[in-house]
Amino acid sequence: MAERVKGETGEWEIVIGMEVHAQTTSHAKLFSGASATFGGAPNAHVSPVDAAMPGMLPVLNEYCVEQAVRTGLGLNAQINKTSVFERKNYFYPDLPQGYQISQYQHPIVGKGEIEIDLPDGSVKTIGITRLHMEQDAGKSLHDQHPSKSFVDLNRAGTPLMEIVSEPDIRGADEACAYLAKLRMILRYLGTCDGNLEEGSMRADVNVSVRKPGAELGTRCEIKNVNSIKAVQMAIDYESRRQVDVIEGGGTIRQETRLWDPAKGETRSMRSKEDAHDYRYFPDPDLLPLHLTSEWIAQIKQTLPELPDQKKHRFMKDYGLSLYDSSILIAERPRADYFETAAKGRDAKLVANWVINELLGLLNKDGKTISDSPVSAKNLGTLVGRIMDGTINGKIAKDVFADMVSSGNSPDSIIESRGLKQVTDTGAIESVVADVLAENPKIVEDYRAGNQKVFGFLVGLAMKKSGGKANPTAVNEILKKKLGESL
Ligand code: ADP
Ligand code: MG
């Protein structure tokens, strides 16, 4: 079991709670009008507020508040009508204010939950403790000059949502499923682009171990875990390390550790400061934030259908399996593509084509559905042509390959290449008659009781027709002719 570590003294349970920093999708920063977009020349996106010039005052970006509320609603969480911005005081060269504005005692979002999907198909609910808004710090650059460090404040003041989970997660599989599901929900909501590589989503993973049923153990917080794979590796390493320490007679100190992807290990960064070291106090430049029920209700009305709702609807309305639905809803544009193609068509057949042919092709090149060379409408038409008997499934694969390379519509390809299925029984009868005449030995075999050669004869007839014969008709006619007396 992935959620246990085997030690000398028996099995240990792995307990995990995650703190995820998600950069809020917004054009402007949390307290200034400077651009919040990723990249740009160093210090190109910095207003006097972000640079903490004396006398500058923060002005709260209403859109970021709306995004935080939207996210809270998407996590089935309590929205707090009153929340408070506080100063978290610390010194760092990339933090010119000398404090980070964050929410502490009164966050905008309280308790919620996320359902995660586990590899064995089961579902587990993970509690959300809170979501609060805060500003990001700038960046120190140590690799630009042999003896100097530089400060880039482009990131200073960009809006973040910190989403904290309860210690409900057991083991690496669940942690990865949690992160993947959270990212999916944020992307559906349009409140964070979920790009782990660019750092717009960063996870701190708190890990402890205990004997099953015992009190919670002491946790270590692992920072710098910026991919789903890294989450898995960091947890596997850290839980093993903790078990070895405890079984070796040591104790776990609460501390912050760093994940080193090159070495594949965690190492101590600093022992854990207590929260009061930051001397939090309400920011006197910002009034407590009051939201009205009407405003929250308005935002609620604009929520899109969320991944789980969509998954269940796909299973119910289209008769798809859990597996197929899960694949189709993993990204919102993918789900939309499927629904456009499936309109008025055999949905299961469309699902097969999207998953096996199209996604198979795109995945090979590391592309997403938005890069698809075949439009949803054209894929739908192709499936329609199978359904109405214009082409058979095998020819459809040819047509599809042509659609991918030429970008042409299925109808024009079928027409110009003369791929229409032959259903005219007269034509099929003559093809079958030729096949039988050309293969007397096989026919003899069949009549002597070797049923297996039947499929081979079907294949020959299909081939002779250029793949265009209706396979059902070929089967019937062949059976009839073979049954006729000599
Ligand atoms: P801090 O900012 O000091 O790390 P937070 O309250 O923001 O504190 O976050 C604590 C995180 O640690 C939460 O995700 C919580 O679920 C998790 N956590 C708390 N206790 C344990 C434990 N014993 N083992 C693993 N995770 C824990
Ligand atoms: Mg923490």
Side-chain angles (χ1 to χ4, degrees):
M1 253 191 305
E3 51 290 8
R4 299 282 166 95
V5 179
K6 265 205 177 61
E8 283 162 10
T9 61
E11 288 204 323
W12 294 79
E13 188 178 32
I14 308 173
V15 176
I16 294 160
M18 302 249 261
E19 297 162 80
V20 173
H21 287 91
Q23 185 176 333
T24 315
T25 300
S26 157
H27 291 305
K29 294 187 176 178
L30 187 53
F31 299 112
S32 85
S35 166
T37 40
F38 180 76
N43 299 307
H45 304 317
V46 185
S47 83
V49 175
D50 310 320
M53 291 295 160
M56 292 297 113
L57 292 173
V59 176
L60 181 59
N61 178 343
E62 181 178 339
Y63 184 66
C64 293
V65 179
E66 188 183 320
Q67 291 284 59
V69 170
R70 186 172 288 124
T71 306
L73 292 169
L75 300 175
N76 288 311
Q78 160 83 31
I79 307 297
N80 294 325
K81 285 196 208 139
T82 300
S83 60
V84 177
F85 287 102
E86 305 205 32
R87 290 186 180 179
K88 180 180 181 179
N89 298 282
Y90 66 98
F91 174 82
Y92 209 75
D94 60 19
L95 187 76
Q97 285 171 161
Y99 56 85
Q100 176 195 29
I101 306 176
S102 180
Q103 295 187 313
Y104 181 55
Q105 289 186 51
H106 305 282
I108 186 163
V109 176
K111 287 203 180 309
E113 57 186 38
I114 288 188
E115 278 190 1
I116 60 169
D117 308 283
L118 299 172
D120 68 357
S122 65
V123 168
K124 177 174 174 177
T125 303
I126 305 294
I128 299 292
T129 315
R130 58 187 276 161
L131 174 156
H132 64 255
M133 290 185 277
E134 63 186 27
Q135 48 173 195
D136 208 345
K139 246 188 205 160
S140 298
L141 309 173
H142 304 296
D143 55 1
Q144 309 285 308
H145 190 277
S147 59
K148 292 187 171 115
S149 285
F150 294 102
V151 173
D152 176 7
L153 294 180
N154 279 350
R155 207 179 59 183
T158 52
L160 298 177
M161 296 178 286
E162 178 169 342
I163 302 160
V164 182
S165 88
E166 293 288 309
D168 289 344
I169 301 165
R170 298 285 172 275
D173 282 351
E174 291 187 13
C176 294
Y178 173 80
L179 196 56
K181 189 58 167 287
L182 178 59
R183 177 169 66 171
M184 202 191 291
I185 293 171
L186 296 176
R187 284 181 169 167
Y188 262 70
L189 292 166
T191 56
C192 170
D193 68 24
N195 198 331
L196 288 151
E197 298 72 35
E198 283 179 7
S200 47
M201 215 176 146
R202 309 194 286 270
D204 297 343
V205 187
N206 294 272
V207 181
S208 67
V209 296
R210 67 171 175 189
K211 286 281 169 168
E215 299 271 291
L216 285 182
T218 303
R219 70 183 158 114
C220 289
E221 180 180 357
I222 314 169
K223 296 234 177 234
N224 196 29
V225 203
N226 54 8
S227 74
I228 291 186
K229 182 95 190 102
V231 167
Q232 191 208 333
M233 287 168 34
I235 292 170
D236 287 345
Y237 177 90
E238 179 62 17
S239 52
R240 176 85 258 163
R241 185 191 72 84
Q242 292 185 10
V243 167
D244 290 347
V245 167
I246 300 168
E247 291 192 335
T251 46
I252 301 297
R253 286 185 306 143
Q254 189 175 331
E255 63 180 355
T256 302
R257 298 178 70 86
L258 205 66
W259 169 244
D260 182 337
K263 294 209 177 109
E265 59 181 41
T266 63
R267 62 167 183 273
S268 184
M269 192 169 124
R270 56 171 185 254
S271 66
K272 184 78 198 172
E273 333 79 312
D274 280 332
H276 62 245
D277 277 355
Y278 289 115
R279 300 199 171 229
Y280 279 99
F281 64 86
D283 192 315
D285 292 339
L286 291 157
L287 292 169
L289 180 60
H290 294 294
L291 310 179
T292 64
S293 314
E294 294 74 41
W295 195 67
I296 298 169
Q298 256 174 35
I299 296 171
K300 193 165 189 171
Q301 287 204 327
T302 68
L303 284 198
E305 183 181 38
L306 289 169
D308 286 328
Q309 297 167 317
K310 209 185 269 295
K311 185 174 72 193
H312 291 128
R313 181 169 62 80
F314 277 18
M315 290 166 69
K316 192 165 149 282
D317 291 2
Y318 298 115
L320 300 181
S321 66
L322 172 66
Y323 180 78
D324 285 355
S325 307
S326 304
I327 293 180
L328 292 173
I329 61 102
E331 290 164 17
R332 205 167 144 186
R334 192 187 281 183
D336 293 345
Y337 184 104
F338 163 74
E339 290 208 272
T340 307
K343 211 171 184 136
R345 308 256 149 70
D346 177 342
K348 279 194 201 173
L349 195 53
V350 173
N352 284 342
W353 275 85
V354 171
I355 294 170
N356 300 327
E357 305 302 324
L358 185 62
L359 292 180
L361 183 87
L362 293 169
N363 286 346
K364 256 202 308 222
D365 300 334
K367 291 183 171 162
T368 69
I369 203 98
S370 319
D371 312 311
S372 172
V374 173
S375 70
K377 195 172 145 277
N378 276 348
L379 189 74
T381 306
L382 178 69
V383 173
R385 291 299 165 255
I386 304 171
M387 288 166 62
D388 66 18
T390 308
I391 51 174
N392 61 45
K394 196 152 178 300
I395 291 284
K397 294 205 176 172
D398 272 3
V399 176
F400 179 74
D402 199 334
M403 288 162 72
V404 169
S405 57
S406 69
N408 291 334
S409 75
D411 284 341
S412 72
I413 294 169
I414 294 167
E415 189 59 46
S416 68
R417 290 179 44 192
L419 295 174
K420 268 209 181 93
Q421 176 161 256
V422 178
T423 46
D424 165 16
T425 31
I428 297 176
E429 281 195 354
S430 97
V431 168
V432 169
D434 286 352
V435 167
L436 296 183
E438 286 160 16
N439 299 279
K441 260 202 67 63
I442 298 172
V443 173
E444 212 172 285
D445 261 15
Y446 178 83
R447 286 182 169 148
N450 184 0
Q451 304 272 323
K452 275 190 238 150
V453 298
F454 185 77
F456 181 68
L457 291 169
V458 171
L460 287 177
M462 288 302 294
K463 198 165 161 205
K464 212 175 187 59
S465 77
K468 292 187 288 183
N470 176 305
T472 318
V474 170
N475 268 275
E476 277 168 10
I477 291 169
L478 193 59
K479 203 155 261 167
K480 195 182 79 192
K481 284 203 182 291
L482 284 167
E484 280 167 8
S485 54
L486 294 164

